[in-house]
Amino acid sequence: MGLVSIPKLEPSRWFVVDFNNVDWGLYLNTLFWNLNYWDSISTLTGEVENPNKTLPKALFYALILVVSAYFFPLLIGTGAVPLDREMWSDGYFSEIAKLLGGVWLRSWIQGASALSNMGMFVAEMSSDSFQLLGMAERGMLPEIFSKRSRHGTPLTGIIFSASGVILLSWLSFQEIVAAENFLYCFGMIMEFIAFVKLRIEYPAAPRPYKIPVGTVGAILICIPPTLLILVVLALASLKVMAISSVAVIIGLIMQPCLGYAEKKRWFRFSISSDLSSIHSV
């Protein structure tokens, strides 16, 4: 699509701006959603060989690919076709492909989009299911979540993660993005606090990989994303706040309920002997 669009590009269209006609809440939520969840790879660290070298390289190259995959299609879409804001809705990139190259190019873009969504779904299921497995291996969830299939995959975690996606299907895409962002913001703030706290209290704890900064550096690199997170939280709608608050309350209630279930031996909890202690050096 990029090659076909070259003769039709008009760079002046890239600089058309109308700040009075911007839905800032939707814009920031979509931008935030498109560029977040980089921390999800941490749940798969145990499945990666030599993660201290592999993951930084993979994240570096992935960042370039992801930003490019957003940036160049936007340059094409805004520079090669007449600007009509009303037409920019879900699926409009396939219509741009039809305008530029015909039906065959639209079919190609739609097929690529379908495969892309399938890939993102599998990646999300992998991250979520291994997170549940890791919690079970730490004794935070019942032992059944730590069981693996003969392929080494956490079957119970996959089923629960897929069920969560199905429950979200009654919401619109914009509402799902906003609700996920709202909950993700809470999670990221907790990760930042844990990151600084662990760096201060357990500087010699074993780590698969380590960010090469001191305590002050750890605090400083957390400040800019925290400010962005606060902006995203402030722009959330009341419906999103209500749905997300219910999810947070359910999580807060589940923790003591799981402790009570463990005490009553309704479920079996165990800590994996293969895990290293945070106190070991």
Side-chain angles (χ1 to χ4, degrees), residues 170-172 175 178-179 182 236-246:
W170 62 278
L171 296 172
S172 68
E175 290 173 333
F182 200 84
S237 66
L238 292 177
K239 181 178 180 180
V240 168
M241 289 184 181
I243 295 174
S244 302
S245 298
V246 170

Side-chain angles (χ1 to χ4, degrees), residues 75-129:
L75 290 179
I76 294 166
T78 55
V81 297
L83 179 61
D84 187 351
R85 296 179 183 275
E86 300 300 323
M87 296 296 294
W88 280 85
S89 58
D90 296 344
Y92 187 53
F93 268 120
S94 63
E95 293 303 316
I96 293 176
K98 181 182 178 182
L99 292 173
L100 295 176
V103 175
W104 72 270
L105 187 56
R106 181 179 66 177
S107 301
W108 183 275
I109 295 296
Q110 290 175 342
S113 299
L115 292 175
S116 174
N117 279 281
M118 291 167 62
M120 288 192 294
F121 181 80
V122 171
E124 181 68 21
M125 289 300 97
S126 300
S127 172
D128 293 346
S129 59

Side-chain angles (χ1 to χ4, degrees), residues 38 40 42 73 87 92 141 183 203:
W38 293 92
S40 298
S42 62
M87 296 296 294
Y92 187 53
L141 289 177
L183 292 172

Side-chain angles (χ1 to χ4, degrees), residues 29-44 59 62-63 66 70 120 123-125 127-128 131 165 168 176-188 191-192 209 229:
N29 265 303
T30 305
L31 183 66
F32 186 74
W33 182 76
N34 280 336
L35 295 173
N36 64 14
Y37 285 99
W38 293 92
D39 57 321
S40 298
I41 189 62
S42 62
T43 63
L44 302 172
L59 289 172
L63 177 63
V66 168
Y70 288 139
M120 288 192 294
E124 181 68 21
M125 289 300 97
S127 172
D128 293 346
Q131 185 175 19
V165 173
L168 289 174
I176 292 175
V177 167
E180 279 203 341
N181 284 348
F182 200 84
L183 292 172
Y184 182 77
C185 287
F186 284 117
M188 285 305 303
E191 284 185 28
F192 293 156
Y209 51 93
I229 284 171

Side-chain angles (χ1 to χ4, degrees), residues 258-278:
L258 288 172
Y260 183 78
E262 181 180 11
K263 184 179 179 180
K264 292 292 185 178
R265 296 184 178 180
W266 294 342
F267 300 102
R268 184 177 178 180
F269 292 75
S270 63
I271 298 178
S272 175
S273 58
D274 296 330
L275 299 176
S276 59
S277 171
I278 195 173

